[in-house]
Amino acid sequence: MKDFKLDVAFIDRTEEMALLRNYLENRPNSILFLYGPKSSGKTTLMYHLFAQMEQERGYDINFLNLREILLTSYNDFIDAFFKSAEHDNGIRTGTRRQYSLFGLFKLDAFTERMLRKKQEDPFLVMKREFQRLQKKDIQPVVIIDEFHKLDGLYMPDRQKRLIVELMNFFVAMTKESHLCHVIIASSDAFFIEQVYVDSKLRKTSKFMKLDYLEKEDVFAWLSDIRKYNKVREYALGREEIELIWDTVGGSAWEIYSILEDLFRHSLDEILARIKREKVAMIADWVDYEDMEERRALLSRFVEENPIDRRKLTGMRNLLGQAVRDNILYYDPVEGEYGIQGRSLEWGIRGYFDEV
Ligand SMILES: Nc1ncnc2c1ncn2[C@@H]1O[C@H](COP(=O)(O)OP(=O)(O)OP(=O)(O)O)[C@@H](O)[C@H]1O
Ligand SMILES: [Mg+2]
């Protein structure tokens, strides 16, 4: 394995891991939705859970990250969820399986052909698989990342939305038959909102928010980058860590980017550049025909962050745009809008200082 100057590490998520494990250690009774701001670490957390659980007996963990997959048709869905050994060119997921799969469910070639010819119901195939595992005293777990990517796909008869059918199926598998655990993650706040406002789904689901890292975890991490990231060329003092926290908060991705740049630049230069970039990003976003509204909206966040959505009535379209453009973040469960990360707070404040 190559030795990197800066390696990646998994920084403490004890609380969140414990919540996920608690969900898995009880009989399936609800779908668990994992949501949170952009790049907060949802995918990383699930990979970590997956890796940890895979070592344990008694579970059959099926992890599918839809971000990696091109999904334009029903057949793409079949490919992603079901693959037979013949097509196996994906990640090996342990020796327990007869066929190890990149897709979710292992199938014999016959069933796969039937699915492809649409002569087999994919939901029944999944249910049979869950039942088979349960008979063997193995608890099936389905983890799907970027679930909202299934939106826009239809069942073969073109009448029904696949994502709706799948969600109903998962409700039946959890709340009704208690057959299988289902964890769904999405970085699309509007998808989570759709689920949350649908009373039937809301009542049969749990919602878990994953926010950026806590201050103490960032401090524990950055105080020992030698241990966590195998960095040998420099170390960070308390004051420097404070400056990093002050600029990007607990955004692991931005922290990595700073650590990488520190091999070539001073911390002051790096942090000043980040702030300049964010100001430019805000100036760019504001520069539209509806500039005045955009400015008025952002100026409210200088005073208050996050803001309860009931205080922001009459701006739904613009708010939606801001969320899609990753300027604002929307939490449908808390019912509030906030700035997408601490560095962007600097961008917004800096923008208003300049104009
Ligand atoms: N607990 C952690 N420890 C160390 N690094 C982390 C941790 N969580 C996330 N990261 C880093 O932060 C970056 C973003 O993480 P990740 O892609 O998991 O976020 P996400 O919430 O899934 O993002 P998206 O909203 O785009 O789906 C990654 O580069 C990852 O390595
Ligand atoms: Mg992700």
Side-chain angles (χ1 to χ4, degrees):
M1 199 64 146
K2 180 159 172 40
D3 257 341
F4 291 104
K5 285 197 294 181
L6 173 71
D7 210 343
V8 292
F10 181 73
I11 308 302
D12 192 40
R13 286 289 199 181
T14 322
E15 184 65 24
E16 290 83 358
M17 285 294 284
L19 281 169
L20 288 172
R21 297 207 57 124
N22 184 53
Y23 170 76
L24 296 178
E25 282 159 11
N26 287 293
R27 192 169 290 286
N29 201 27
S30 56
I31 305 174
L32 181 70
F33 284 93
L34 183 68
Y35 73 102
K38 190 96 203 114
S39 293
S40 66
K42 299 175 286 300
T43 303
T44 304
L45 180 70
M46 290 195 307
Y47 271 121
H48 197 71
L49 178 79
F50 175 65
Q52 205 183 70
M53 303 288 297
E54 252 223 329
Q55 314 295 320
E56 291 167 31
R57 295 162 69 87
Y59 289 95
D60 184 84
I61 314 267
N62 300 285
F63 182 92
L64 186 60
N65 183 354
L66 294 179
R67 180 169 281 174
E68 298 164 349
I69 295 168
L70 183 68
L71 285 166
T72 53
S73 66
Y74 178 78
N75 280 340
D76 292 341
F77 153 72
I78 296 293
D79 277 348
F81 276 63
F82 309 92
K83 259 185 186 174
S84 76
E86 290 162 36
H87 297 262
D88 183 12
N89 55 358
I91 311 167
R92 299 240 155 233
T93 54
T95 46
R96 266 180 295 119
R97 302 221 180 153
Q98 202 179 348
Y99 317 112
S100 85
L101 306 173
F102 184 63
L104 271 181
F105 297 96
K106 62 164 174 259
L107 294 179
D108 51 84
F110 175 73
T111 312
E112 196 198 347
R113 269 200 304 281
M114 296 300 276
L115 272 171
R116 221 171 276 284
K117 287 200 244 152
K118 305 187 176 76
Q119 286 168 358
E120 180 73 277
D121 175 348
F123 299 122
L124 272 178
V125 172
M126 283 192 259
K127 186 171 178 184
R128 280 205 303 266
E129 172 71 1
F130 297 150
Q131 284 166 331
R132 188 186 67 79
L133 287 164
Q134 282 229 333
K135 267 200 205 112
K136 294 204 297 184
D137 231 8
I138 294 173
Q139 178 57 45
V141 179
V142 170
I143 307 176
I144 304 176
D145 197 5
E146 300 289 304
F147 189 74
H148 60 267
K149 272 194 71 186
L150 292 170
D151 212 357
L153 301 188
Y154 285 82
M155 299 299 288
D157 60 10
R158 301 290 306 165
Q159 301 295 325
K160 295 183 184 140
R161 278 169 68 197
L162 175 66
I163 197 164
V164 174
E165 296 305 302
L166 201 52
M167 220 113 72
N168 285 331
F169 171 70
F170 286 146
V171 170
M173 288 304 98
T174 52
K175 191 197 78 158
E176 291 166 9
S177 339
H178 313 289
L179 270 176
C180 163
H181 286 105
V182 180
I183 302 178
I184 289 175
S186 177
S187 56
D188 185 328
F190 295 112
F191 165 72
I192 298 291
E193 186 188 27
Q194 272 181 36
V195 175
Y196 196 68
V197 298
D198 179 326
S199 61
K200 195 176 105 216
L201 285 172
R202 181 176 174 168
K203 280 194 200 129
T204 51
S205 307
K206 282 200 154 101
F207 296 85
M208 177 176 153
K209 180 174 182 173
L210 190 72
D211 219 328
Y212 298 111
L213 293 170
E214 301 277 347
K215 184 169 181 177
E216 57 179 307
D217 297 327
V218 170
F219 272 69
W221 169 12
L222 294 184
S223 308
D224 205 351
I225 49 176
R226 196 185 172 97
K227 177 181 116 193
Y228 286 104
N229 309 102
K230 304 203 184 88
V231 172
R232 289 172 181 279
E233 288 182 33
Y234 63 85
L236 295 166
R238 180 139 198 112
E239 229 170 87
E240 292 165 305
I241 300 174
E242 199 75 61
L243 284 171
I244 294 176
W245 169 262
D246 189 50
T247 309
V248 299
S251 162
W253 190 82
E254 286 176 279
I255 293 174
Y256 273 118
S257 159
I258 293 171
L259 295 182
E260 207 175 294
D261 291 349
L262 275 169
F263 289 104
R264 315 265 321 150
H265 303 278
S266 77
L267 185 60
D268 286 347
E269 279 169 352
I270 296 167
L271 299 183
R273 199 201 59 232
I274 291 176
K275 289 178 183 172
R276 276 200 312 276
E277 280 172 6
K278 297 295 171 176
V279 172
M281 185 176 162
I282 292 300
D284 239 24
W285 187 76
V286 170
D287 191 14
Y288 270 81
E289 303 90 73
D290 54 352
M291 185 176 209
E292 285 316 312
E293 283 95 339
R294 289 185 179 219
R295 233 186 234 160
L297 173 66
L298 293 187
S299 71
R300 300 193 50 175
F301 285 88
V302 177
E303 280 136 44
E304 190 183 344
N305 178 43
I307 302 181
D308 191 298
R309 71 155 173 245
R310 284 166 296 186
K311 291 190 190 165
L312 295 165
T313 49
M315 305 186 187
R316 231 181 132 69
N317 283 343
L318 188 53
L319 283 164
Q321 192 58 48
V323 171
R324 274 189 295 279
D325 294 339
N326 289 317
I327 301 292
L328 294 182
Y329 160 65
Y330 177 51
D331 180 339
V333 178
E334 302 285 339
E336 60 192 22
Y337 289 88
I339 299 172
Q340 187 92 248
R342 186 186 283 252
S343 60
L344 211 56
E345 284 179 44
W346 282 102
I348 293 177
R349 261 184 272 149
Y351 170 78
F352 284 105
D353 285 348
E354 275 179 20
V355 292

